Amino acid sequence: MSKRRTFSDEFKREAVGLTHQAGANVSQIARDIGVGEGVLSRWRRELASGKRHAFPGSGVPRDEEMAALKRELARVKKERGFFARCGSVLREGIALKFQTIQRCRTVYPVQLMCRCLKVSSSGFHAWCKRPLSARAKDNQRLLVQIKALHSISDGVLGMPRMHEELSYAGETASPNRVARLMASNGLFGIPQRRAWRSKRSGVRPLHVRNHLQRDFSALEPNTKWVTDITYIHTGEGWLYLCTVLDLFSHTIIGWSMSGIQDRHLVLKAVQMACWQRTDTTPVVLHSDRGTQFTSGEYQRFLADHHIISSMSDVGHCGDNAAAEGFFGMLKRERIYRRRYLSLADARSDVFDYIERFHNPRMQRRLDKLDQRFITLTQPSAKTG
């Protein structure tokens, strides 16, 4: 069997050119160059059509190699573009790979993406037609609640407090499940920011000592309080905030804000806390050794209202960690994410955080503990 002849584009053009000469005979020219008359006629029609590639034949080996290299380059460019767009999913599960293919199928061919991610195209098409499982549907329902709570909190709830809020709503999802759903959907809390500062301390009065001893637990309300002062930057200057926190409920029972940091700032905050008391049972109020807390007027006010003054030692910032912890949370979740143009703007926002976000959340936590205690102490239906 004879090998089939291959003709280059140049040969075909020259052969067709001979047929255009005066008195040329197509049949004779075909016999002379060793091709069929029908082949030569087809070459004439293709060249007369004016196409860019008049002769779609295989061409010479060099042309074939160039075309193959161009096709390979185009394929590699597509694969590199897909890898740059799909993200780091090569080591992920097959479900995440299928989700990536579903997201990019309008830009890249499905077979190319399946080849790059080493999955089968038939498996991908079967996954597209497969209905959601009961677990996936429940995750979608739970995710709606998580997104709503995260939006209401202005994006400050992380996994622990998100799990706590969901439990208040009657959800039984585990912390790991909540963390997985939040991470996969880009929902995070506000990370803590470390900041160290030094401030001038006063001389602790001789009759005052550290009654708290870093024991921040309280079994009853209005037995242990902590207080401290922090500052907030505004366009009109510094706004100073003094708070009184009850260690039993962790709610802010007294607060005061002013543009001046003096003893009247702390006196107003402690007076507000005193208004929340129902009796005159002595309560321990712990603070640092700031000059506002060591002043004589402040100490006399505490003695008149049956409040036992407690103060930290010099250099022991952990002695008042509960108050410092609240300020860190306030700044991390609200103040550092705002820019206050005036003192009034800062006062309004701090009031909103304390009275509409922090205290209600702490009260829900306390109510949950009360319900659990009542459930444990109720008489049994069997034993009475």
Side-chain angles (χ1 to χ4, degrees):
M1 183 176 180
S2 61
K3 184 178 178 181
R4 183 177 180 180
R5 295 178 62 187
T6 303
F7 304 96
S8 65
D9 290 354
E10 185 179 7
F11 181 89
K12 296 175 182 179
R13 292 180 185 276
E14 293 300 329
V16 173
L18 292 177
T19 62
H20 292 161
Q21 294 178 1
N25 188 326
V26 177
S27 300
Q28 183 62 39
I29 294 175
R31 286 193 297 268
D32 293 342
I33 62 177
V35 299
E37 182 180 354
V39 175
L40 184 57
S41 300
R42 176 164 54 82
W43 290 353
R44 294 182 63 185
R45 290 194 302 269
E46 291 177 356
L47 188 61
S49 63
K51 295 181 180 179
R52 181 180 179 183
H53 302 290
F55 307 111
S58 57
V60 297
R62 184 178 180 85
D63 295 337
E64 293 178 357
E65 183 180 1
M66 184 62 69
L69 290 175
K70 288 182 177 179
R71 289 193 298 268
E72 182 68 16
L73 180 60
R75 182 183 65 82
V76 172
K77 285 184 176 180
K78 277 190 175 182
E79 290 180 354
R80 292 186 60 183
F82 169 68
F83 280 125
R85 184 165 181 173
C86 74
S88 303
V89 297
L90 283 175
R91 301 178 61 182
E92 301 294 340
I94 191 170
L96 188 58
K97 292 181 179 179
F98 284 161
Q99 292 175 7
T100 303
I101 296 174
Q102 179 73 19
R103 186 180 69 250
C104 301
R105 67 184 306 176
T106 59
V107 182
Y108 301 98
V110 172
Q111 291 186 352
L112 179 143
M113 293 186 289
C114 291
R115 184 177 66 252
C116 292
L117 298 181
K118 298 181 180 180
V119 295
S120 65
S121 57
S122 60
F124 167 71
H125 293 298
W127 175 82
C128 292
K129 299 176 182 178
R130 190 178 306 148
L132 290 177
S133 63
R135 179 74 169 186
K137 292 180 180 178
D138 192 57
N139 283 339
Q140 288 184 348
R141 179 193 62 81
L142 188 62
L143 184 60
V144 172
Q145 297 189 44
I146 291 175
K147 288 183 176 180
L149 290 173
H150 196 262
S151 176
I152 292 174
S153 68
D154 198 19
V156 302
L157 290 185
M159 184 279 293
R161 287 190 291 172
M162 181 64 72
H163 178 261
E164 185 180 40
E165 291 292 334
L166 290 174
S167 65
Y168 296 157
E171 296 291 342
T172 58
S174 66
N176 290 338
R177 184 182 178 188
V178 175
R180 184 171 60 253
L181 290 175
M182 293 184 65
S184 61
N185 289 272
L187 301 177
F188 303 97
I190 304 299
Q192 186 175 0
R193 185 165 67 177
R194 296 283 183 178
W196 301 97
R197 62 183 177 87
S198 61
K199 58 183 180 180
R200 182 170 58 92
S201 62
V203 179
R204 183 168 63 182
L206 297 177
H207 66 281
V208 177
R209 61 185 182 89
N210 190 346
H211 295 274
L212 202 59
Q213 295 296 335
R214 300 194 181 186
D215 182 11
F216 301 116
S217 61
L219 301 178
E220 296 180 359
N222 296 323
T223 56
K224 293 180 181 179
W225 295 348
V226 292
T227 182
D228 202 358
I229 301 173
T230 190
Y231 50 90
I232 303 166
H233 183 265
T234 72
E236 295 179 347
W238 293 103
L239 175 67
Y240 298 95
L241 167 67
C242 179
T243 60
V244 179
L245 184 143
D246 191 334
L247 291 178
F248 173 76
S249 62
H250 293 276
T251 57
I252 302 300
I253 58 175
W255 54 267
S256 178
M257 288 178 279
S258 174
I260 302 175
Q261 185 182 11
D262 56 7
R263 63 184 183 279
H264 300 290
L265 177 70
V266 298
L267 288 173
K268 291 179 181 179
V270 177
Q271 186 176 30
M272 181 184 293
C274 291
W275 292 341
Q276 314 299 323
R277 300 167 65 188
T278 57
D279 52 29
T280 57
T281 304
V283 55
V284 175
L285 177 58
H286 186 84
S287 66
D288 57 19
R289 292 174 57 171
T291 56
Q292 299 82 13
F293 302 109
T294 58
S295 65
E297 185 176 355
Y298 173 79
Q299 292 296 324
R300 288 192 297 272
F301 180 87
L302 298 187
D304 294 340
H305 290 80
H306 305 281
I307 299 175
I308 303 173
S309 179
S310 173
M311 287 190 180
S312 307
D313 295 329
V314 175
H316 292 262
C317 57
D319 291 347
N320 205 18
E324 295 286 355
F326 169 76
F327 287 150
M329 186 167 54
L330 166 66
K331 292 183 177 181
R332 184 172 65 251
E333 297 181 351
R334 186 63 64 92
I335 294 175
Y336 289 153
R337 307 173 67 211
R338 302 285 193 276
R339 183 179 179 183
Y340 304 115
L341 299 179
S342 64
L343 295 173
D345 292 341
R347 291 174 63 95
S348 176
D349 198 37
V350 171
F351 174 82
D352 178 83
Y353 180 86
I354 293 176
E355 299 295 346
R356 299 186 61 193
F357 180 73
H358 177 78
N359 281 353
R361 186 167 57 84
M362 294 297 103
Q363 188 60 44
R364 288 195 299 270
R365 179 182 297 178
L366 196 62
D367 294 341
K368 187 71 174 182
L369 294 176
D370 291 342
Q371 292 177 3
R372 189 178 304 172
F373 178 77
I374 293 173
T375 303
L376 293 175
T377 56
Q378 278 183 343
S380 172
K382 294 183 179 180
T383 62

